């Protein structure tokens, strides 16, 4: 790989073409080739032939790891989510983009996040580009999703659907110097008839920063018993009950279980004392349960604790008591969310819409690591509250006076059996639960699917299921190519083919999957990309990425590195940038665990 100075704004783009034939796609050619459109399958045509269209409910959780749900091996009580798994199918090789905004952009558009300018959402308050820069254009980290990147709400709305978005958006820049430039990227301008929720990455669950359609609502003191999750579910139930006859898309994106962990005591108390065993034992128990359930292969190895993460046995009694309470609060928060999901499912059943509703349940990235070794108590990030003070205030856990984010080793347990956590290119960052429930169309409910799926594949799947497709052109504007591929056939087949190749990049961390092989590049902030260490894993025989085979198969690793470059160039020119060190404050990537 050519050397790149650490101040360079992109990865090197010149590599030998010995091992892979590179296809050069020009901007015009890409648009002509664009908009991969799936032909409606028999699953969809049985409805469209009689002019009946199924509803779509997308349920998206935040910062919930692969092992955090009962249906994926957790001890946390999630009976309503588990019921969706029992009536549908689970996927154990589903990958996201390892962080909120990139994953959400890919979910709705069916495109890789770099193609739609969502390499990483810029920090809040960033200056807007000059007025002569067209909306939706600019670098791949602008956060402005291009206007010619049609999403599922726009497609379904054109096909006669009502479209609703509730909860977290996090797919619009929040320029303080040009708020009008923000609005073209709000939900109402991106195909949704109605939006109620918040625009940024996280909010207080008791006093949220609410937006209704395009209007920022005043910050008010909410009534006793108010909770944001309950609020958005109330709104979702309202449209489900009132809009019975018209087909609808409901996009329900919870703030949970992102920090702050705020939830009534009755839910926290369900887990009192359960986590005094610590994160090491919890991780082992989840691993053994996953094997027993068939969620992971029986030969899966459990990788050792990450560097920089303390052994539970090394903590003093105060630390153990405090850190256990963090996990109790997180578990209670997730059970509360499951309870609210159950209310939505009940509303569908009571109104006779459950059987003809396709429910897609997923989480946006691995378990959250940003709390660092000590977690956040008063503020979610960079908290300096001494553990002794936390101990004195443990009865405040889950209340409005705290902004809790658990210690990073709990996130490692949340990502069992994988290595690392949210933000990372290892599977602990990208691999999360995916459940699809569609009662009238799944022949073997409760099945576990082992095919590889990426989050870009969900939009084409939803559209094929509803008998629709992405458009090549909208109002004379050619649309960007769609990168995802429908996985609808996998609902009733454990042999249906899915994608073989998928690249990944976030804040300098890179990965490429090619069949059974997966290569991962670690990048330290402010270093030359040519110095990155690449690892190679045989995921067919090593489900958890426990054993690096780079030294044993240098020729395969060389191919993988070139393939990453080829794929990266296809979706962004250039694909990435030197990460901003300010993004890594008190973050896993700066805690000495890169090496």
């Amino acid at each position: 790989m050519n050397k790149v100075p650490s101040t360079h704004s992109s990865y090197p783009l010149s590599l030998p073409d010995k091992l892979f034939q590179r296809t050069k796609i020009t901007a015009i050619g890409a648009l002509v080739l664009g908009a991969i459109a799936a032909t409606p399958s028999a699953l969809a045509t049985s409805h469209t032939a009689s002019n009946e269209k199924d509803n779509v409910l997308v349920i998206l959780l935040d910062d919930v790891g692969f092992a955090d749900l009962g249906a994926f091996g957790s001890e946390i009580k999630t009976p309503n989510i588990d019921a969706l798994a029992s009536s549908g199918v689970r996927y154990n090789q589903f990958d996201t983009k390892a962080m909120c905004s990139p994953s959400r952009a890919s979910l709705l558009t069916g495109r890789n996040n770099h193609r739609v300018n969502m390499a990483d959402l810029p920090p809040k308050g960033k200056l807007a580009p000059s007025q002569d820069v067209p909306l939706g254009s600019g670098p791949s980290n602008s956060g402005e999703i291009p206007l010619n990147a049609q999403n599922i709400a726009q497609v379904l709305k054109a096909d006669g659907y009502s479209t609703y978005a509730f909860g977290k958006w996090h797919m619009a820049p929040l320029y303080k110097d040009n708020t009008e430039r923000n609005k073209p990227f709000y939900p109402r301008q991106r195909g949704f008839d109605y939006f109620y929720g918040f625009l940024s990455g996280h909010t207080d669950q008791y006093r949220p920063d609410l937006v209704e359609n395009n209007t920022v609502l005043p910050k008010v003191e909410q009534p006793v018993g108010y909770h944001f999750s309950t609020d958005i579910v109330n709104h979702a139930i309202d449209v489900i009950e009132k809009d019975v006859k018209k087909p609808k898309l409901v996009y329900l994106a919870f703030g949970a279980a992102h920090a702050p962990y705020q939830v009534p005591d009755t839910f926290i108390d369900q887990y009192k004392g359960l986590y005094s065993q610590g994160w090491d034992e919890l991780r082992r128990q989840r691993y053994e349960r996953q094997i027993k359930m068939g969620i992971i292969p029986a030969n899966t190895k459990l990788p050792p604790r990450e560097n920089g993460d303390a052994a539970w046995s090394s903590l003093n009694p105060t630390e153990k008591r405090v850190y256990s309470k963090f996990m109790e609060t997180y578990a209670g928060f997730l059970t509360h969310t499951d309870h609210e999901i159950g209310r939505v499912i009940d509303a569908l059943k009571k109104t006779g819409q459950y059987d003809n509703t396709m429910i897609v349940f997923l989480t946006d990235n691995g378990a959250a690591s940003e709390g660092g070794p000590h977690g956040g108590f008063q503020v979610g990030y960079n908290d300096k509250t001494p553990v002794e003070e936390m101990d004195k205030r443990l009865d405040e856990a889950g209340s409005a006076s705290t902004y809790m984010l658990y210690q990073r080793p709990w996130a490692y347990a949340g990502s069992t059996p994988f290595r690392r956590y949210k933000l990372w290119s290892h599977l602990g960052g990208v691999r999360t639960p995916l459940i699809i429930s569609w009662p009238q169309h799944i022949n073997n409910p409760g099945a576990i699917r082992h095919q590889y799926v990426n989050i870009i594949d969900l939009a084409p799947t939803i559209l094929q299921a509803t008998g629709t497709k992405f458009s090549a052109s909208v109002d004379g504007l050619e649309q960007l190519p769609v990168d995802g591929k429908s996985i609808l056939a996998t609902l009733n087949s454990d042999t249906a083919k899915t994608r073989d190749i998928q690249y990944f990049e976030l804040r300098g961390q890179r990965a490429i999957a090619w069949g059974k092989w997966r290569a991962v590049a670690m990048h330290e902030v402010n270093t030359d990309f040519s110095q990155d260490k690449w690892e190679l894993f045989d995921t067919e025989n090593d489900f958890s990425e426990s054993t690096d085979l780079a030294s044993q198969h240098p020729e395969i690793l060389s191919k993988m590195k070139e393939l990453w470059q080829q794929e990266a160039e296809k979706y962004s020119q250039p694909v990435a940038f030197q990460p901003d060190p300010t993004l890594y404050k008190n973050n896993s990537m700066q805690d000495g665990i890169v090496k």
Side-chain angles (χ1 to χ4, degrees):
M1 183 179 287
N2 294 340
K3 257 190 135 176
V4 182
S6 61
T7 56
H8 199 282
S9 63
S10 68
Y11 290 125
L13 295 179
S14 58
L15 283 173
D17 296 324
K18 298 176 183 176
L19 301 168
F20 287 93
Q21 181 178 358
R22 185 171 300 173
T23 303
K24 297 293 185 181
I25 303 179
T26 65
I28 295 176
L31 290 173
V32 171
L33 290 172
I36 299 173
T39 302
S41 73
L43 287 172
T45 54
S46 63
H47 292 274
T48 56
S50 60
N51 293 322
E52 294 179 1
K53 298 177 180 179
D54 281 7
N55 300 320
V56 176
L57 170 61
V58 177
I59 302 174
L60 179 60
L61 300 193
D62 200 346
D63 286 3
V64 173
F66 182 84
D68 277 335
L69 307 174
F72 283 78
S74 179
E75 75 297 332
I76 297 176
K77 302 171 187 175
T78 55
N80 295 295
I81 297 171
D82 299 348
L84 290 178
S86 296
S87 67
V89 293
R90 284 166 285 176
Y91 292 81
N92 70 352
Q93 295 196 67
F94 169 69
D95 287 357
T96 66
K97 304 302 182 183
M99 196 172 68
C100 312
S101 298
S103 291
R104 290 158 199 265
S106 292
L107 167 64
L108 292 185
T109 68
R111 296 164 174 91
N112 282 307
N113 54 301
H114 296 93
R115 193 191 285 282
V116 293
N117 299 338
M118 201 63 80
D120 188 354
L121 192 65
K124 186 175 181 179
K126 183 176 180 178
L127 294 178
S130 60
Q131 293 301 313
D132 58 350
V133 176
L135 286 173
S137 63
S140 64
N141 67 325
S142 70
E144 295 188 357
I145 296 177
L147 303 184
N148 62 333
Q150 187 185 38
N151 67 33
I152 57 171
Q154 292 166 321
V155 175
L156 292 175
K157 183 175 181 178
D159 197 48
Y161 276 68
S162 298
T163 54
Y164 305 98
F166 303 108
K168 174 175 173 176
W169 183 243
H170 209 201
M171 286 178 282
L174 298 175
Y175 304 127
K176 287 185 178 178
D177 63 323
N178 190 349
T179 55
E180 287 305 308
R181 190 178 177 104
N182 299 332
K183 289 187 177 179
F185 308 99
Y186 286 9
R188 278 299 303 276
Q189 284 65 252
R190 304 319 288 248
F192 286 97
D193 295 320
Y194 179 80
F195 170 68
Y196 181 82
F198 64 98
L199 296 171
S200 61
H202 53 98
T203 194
D204 193 290
Q205 298 291 304
Y206 298 122
R207 290 191 65 203
D209 298 311
L210 292 173
V211 174
E212 185 172 28
N213 293 325
N214 292 321
T215 302
V216 177
L217 301 181
K219 195 102 169 179
V220 299
E221 195 64 38
Q222 300 289 353
V224 174
Y226 174 90
H227 194 281
F228 177 72
S229 295
T230 305
D231 190 4
I232 60 172
V233 166
N234 286 344
H235 278 74
I237 290 174
D238 187 55
V239 301
I240 287 170
E241 292 179 343
K242 290 182 178 179
D243 196 4
V244 175
K245 294 183 179 179
K246 192 175 181 181
K248 65 189 70 65
L249 164 68
V250 178
Y251 175 70
L252 184 58
F254 287 89
H258 194 293
Y261 304 158
Q262 293 174 328
V263 64
D265 287 341
T266 52
F267 288 89
I268 301 173
D269 291 345
Q270 296 180 37
Y271 297 95
K272 188 174 183 178
L274 182 61
Y275 297 108
S276 59
Q277 63 186 320
W279 43 62
D280 294 319
E281 178 63 15
L282 177 66
R283 187 163 169 261
R284 184 192 64 78
Q285 290 177 0
R286 288 185 175 185
Y287 161 75
E288 291 179 352
R289 199 177 295 119
Q290 288 172 330
I291 290 179
K292 186 175 180 180
M293 295 171 65
I295 287 295
I296 64 176
N299 66 348
T300 302
K301 295 180 181 178
L302 188 64
R305 186 187 315 107
E306 286 290 355
N307 294 331
D309 286 350
W312 184 259
S313 60
S314 71
L315 304 181
N316 63 44
T318 301
E319 290 172 324
K320 289 180 178 179
R321 182 168 54 250
V322 170
Y323 296 169
S324 295
K325 188 68 172 185
F326 274 74
M327 188 60 194
E328 291 172 15
T329 308
Y330 172 82
F333 193 18
L334 191 50
T335 294
H336 177 266
T337 308
D338 179 84
H339 170 76
E340 296 300 330
I341 290 171
R343 294 176 56 222
V344 178
I345 304 304
D346 286 345
L348 288 171
K349 291 180 177 178
K350 289 176 182 177
T351 56
Q353 300 177 74
Y354 176 73
D355 286 343
N356 70 321
T357 297
M358 182 185 204
I359 302 174
V360 179
F361 172 92
L362 69 153
T363 74
D364 60 358
N365 46 245
S369 56
E370 302 99 314
H374 307 294
F377 187 81
Q378 195 64 44
V379 294
Y381 307 95
N382 305 311
D383 194 344
K384 305 301 181 184
T385 306
V387 68
E388 292 78 14
E389 182 179 341
M390 295 183 191
D391 190 34
K392 294 175 183 178
R393 298 175 56 191
L394 280 186
D395 59 345
E396 298 178 38
S399 72
S401 64
T402 61
Y403 215 91
M404 294 178 73
L405 173 60
Y406 61 18
Q407 295 71 33
R408 191 177 61 218
W410 290 124
Y412 202 32
S415 294
T416 306
F418 306 117
R419 296 173 57 195
R420 302 188 190 268
Y421 358 65
K422 174 184 175 183
L423 301 174
W424 289 94
S425 50
H426 286 89
L427 289 176
V430 303
R431 187 146 294 174
T432 70
L434 170 65
I435 300 168
I436 299 180
S437 175
W438 199 15
Q440 291 186 334
H441 303 276
I442 293 176
N443 298 332
N444 185 21
I448 299 170
R449 297 287 180 242
H450 306 279
Q451 294 101 317
Y452 178 73
V453 179
N454 192 270
I455 196 167
I456 61 175
D457 300 321
L458 297 183
T461 303
I462 290 169
L463 295 186
Q464 185 180 12
T466 56
T468 54
K469 61 183 180 180
F470 281 110
S471 302
S473 177
V474 178
D475 296 330
L477 182 64
E478 289 185 292
Q479 300 296 294
L480 292 174
V482 176
D483 307 320
K485 177 183 177 182
S486 174
I487 61 162
L488 197 63
T490 66
L491 293 186
N492 290 315
S493 172
D494 57 8
T495 59
K497 299 296 183 184
T498 57
R499 64 180 52 255
D500 290 321
I501 297 173
Q502 180 60 44
Y503 87 106
F504 170 89
E505 187 278 335
L506 178 66
R507 297 183 178 181
Q509 310 298 323
R510 291 174 283 171
I512 181 76
W514 178 39
K516 72 173 187 175
W517 296 105
R518 193 168 189 271
V520 176
M522 308 300 291
H523 181 72
E524 286 197 70
V525 181
N526 291 331
T527 64
D528 193 305
F529 286 106
S530 66
Q531 298 174 10
D532 290 356
K533 177 188 176 182
W534 282 84
E535 298 171 281
L536 180 67
F537 304 100
D538 175 359
T539 58
E540 184 177 286
N541 297 298
D542 180 16
F543 188 79
S544 62
E545 294 183 331
S546 67
T547 306
D548 178 15
L549 301 178
S551 61
Q552 297 180 36
H553 299 284
E555 74 291 350
I556 294 176
L557 180 60
S558 178
K559 293 178 182 180
M560 299 289 283
K561 291 164 69 174
E562 292 197 26
L563 182 58
W564 183 92
Q565 189 69 33
Q566 176 182 318
E567 291 294 296
E569 289 183 39
K570 188 188 302 183
Y571 300 111
S572 182
Q573 299 175 359
V575 68
F577 49 92
Q578 269 287 359
D580 180 352
T582 62
L583 294 172
Y584 296 84
K585 275 184 173 182
N586 196 36
N587 178 305
S588 303
M589 296 182 181
Q590 288 291 78
D591 283 333
I593 62 171
V594 171
K595 298 177 183 178

